[in-house]
Amino acid sequence: MDENEVLAERFEEHRAHLRAVAYRMLGSSAEADDAVQDAWLRLSRSDTGDVENLGGWLTTVVARVSLNMLRSRKTRREDPWDAHLPEPAVGHEDTADPEHQALLADSVGLALLVVLDALAPAERLAFVLHDMFAVPFDEIAPIVERTPAATRQLASRARRRVQGTPGVPETDVTRQREVVDAFLAASRGGDFDALLALLDPDVVLRTDTAAALSGAGAARGAAAVADTFAGRAKAAQPALINGAAGLVWAPGGRPRVVFGFTITHGRITAIDILADAERLSGLDLEVLSD
């Protein structure tokens, strides 16, 4: 085994952890994969002979890459309908991997990512690395270019915002299903008033590019979203999407469109329509009986 093969083998030992860090930072499976790949490229080009803690070194690299990606995301001028949406934690290779399973099993994962997305990039990094991965502030400080004391304050401020954020999305699957099932029944029956009662006044309907190309349109506000679904969704079926209640349109048993729901205090605050075949293929999808 040559030196490159040894290096690659050592990197693979840390891949799952690095992907978990990147996913928590970015809320996107694709971007997390990109960050991890960037870390591998930097490792393969660096002299790490004197590095005693390769895992720590790689974590720092992934954190720096993720921070730059977050800062770039914050400075882009994005259309409101294309605003960043945290994606479910999905693996494409080894679904038995313990870190992957831990992400899927974390019932607050996606809900927490929604909250984290409102934090400033440096706050998010300090909170994620320290509170989720127990990285000392002395090691985080150089990444965010602050003193350890200032970095501690960043994490504390982020922690207060996370704990004090009202309206964290519902994570109990039973309660999720009650709302989604009621939504499906109202949609099929064309019951506009029942839909309004289930929708938050400021609910948003978002679509990915594939769904938009097939005719699905974005909308904002309870009346507009209720009008979009009233009398429709007749072929949709209840489903668990990465462990969360949702709907799927699967003609012939093949998932074509997935409807993801964000539910807060018993009302739907967001509906996300996904139709991109590659994204759908990566979802942990279980169709349920009506």
Side-chain angles (χ1 to χ4, degrees):
M1 186 178 294
D2 63 25
E3 184 176 343
N4 287 336
E5 290 176 327
V6 171
L7 193 63
E9 188 174 272
R10 293 183 65 195
F11 179 81
E12 289 302 318
E13 293 174 358
H14 299 284
R15 179 183 289 276
H17 168 76
L18 297 175
R19 193 178 188 282
V21 171
Y23 175 75
R24 296 290 188 173
M25 283 290 300
L26 299 165
S28 163
S29 295
E31 288 185 341
D33 288 337
D34 288 344
V36 172
Q37 180 62 21
D38 198 329
W40 161 246
L41 293 175
R42 296 188 187 206
L43 174 63
S44 64
R45 297 167 182 167
S46 302
D47 180 5
T48 57
D50 295 331
V51 175
E52 295 183 3
N53 181 0
L54 183 62
W57 187 90
L58 288 169
T59 298
T60 298
V61 171
V62 165
R64 290 185 186 277
V65 171
S66 299
L67 182 61
N68 289 337
M69 294 171 76
L70 281 176
R71 286 171 171 166
S72 175
R73 180 192 297 167
K74 291 290 184 182
T75 57
R76 288 199 301 267
R77 297 176 61 88
E78 296 177 308
D79 184 275
W81 307 120
D82 293 328
H84 176 72
L85 171 69
E87 301 169 359
V90 180
H92 300 284
E93 297 174 2
D94 182 8
T95 56
D97 177 83
E99 295 249 13
H100 169 74
Q101 291 298 328
L103 281 174
L104 289 183
D106 183 359
S107 62
V108 301
L110 186 55
L112 180 58
L113 285 171
V114 173
V115 178
L116 290 181
D117 211 43
L119 299 178
E123 288 179 342
R124 182 166 181 165
L125 184 141
F127 177 81
V128 167
L129 289 186
H130 182 266
D131 285 45
M132 296 185 178
F133 295 98
V135 178
F137 288 119
D138 287 349
E139 297 179 20
I140 302 173
I143 303 174
V144 294
E145 299 178 337
R146 286 172 169 81
T147 65
T151 303
R152 183 186 297 274
Q153 291 179 348
L154 279 178
S156 296
R157 186 161 63 240
R159 194 179 305 115
R160 288 194 299 270
R161 292 184 65 183
V162 169
Q163 294 172 346
T165 298
V168 173
E170 177 62 66
T171 59
D172 184 273
V173 176
T174 299
R175 290 197 289 268
Q176 289 176 358
R177 281 211 62 185
E178 290 174 355
V179 175
V180 173
D181 288 350
F183 176 87
L184 180 58
S187 177
R188 287 174 172 173
D191 192 334
F192 187 83
D193 290 337
L195 285 172
L196 282 180
L198 291 165
L199 297 170
D200 184 87
D202 297 318
V203 62
V204 292
L205 171 62
R206 299 174 291 216
T207 67
D208 66 7
T209 302
L213 290 175
S214 66
R220 181 182 295 274
V225 175
D227 186 62
T228 298
F229 283 96
R232 300 180 183 177
K234 296 183 182 298
Q237 299 172 268
L240 289 179
I241 305 165
N242 284 18
L247 299 173
V248 62
W249 178 53
R254 180 184 175 188
R256 296 292 186 86
V257 181
V258 160
F259 302 82
F261 292 80
T262 302
I263 300 166
T264 306
H265 300 315
R267 285 193 168 190
I268 298 167
T269 55
I271 302 174
D272 296 286
I273 304 178
L274 308 180
D276 180 80
E278 184 175 351
R279 292 184 75 183
L280 295 186
S281 68
L283 295 176
D284 180 8
L285 193 63
E286 178 185 353
V287 179
L288 305 172
S289 59
D290 287 320

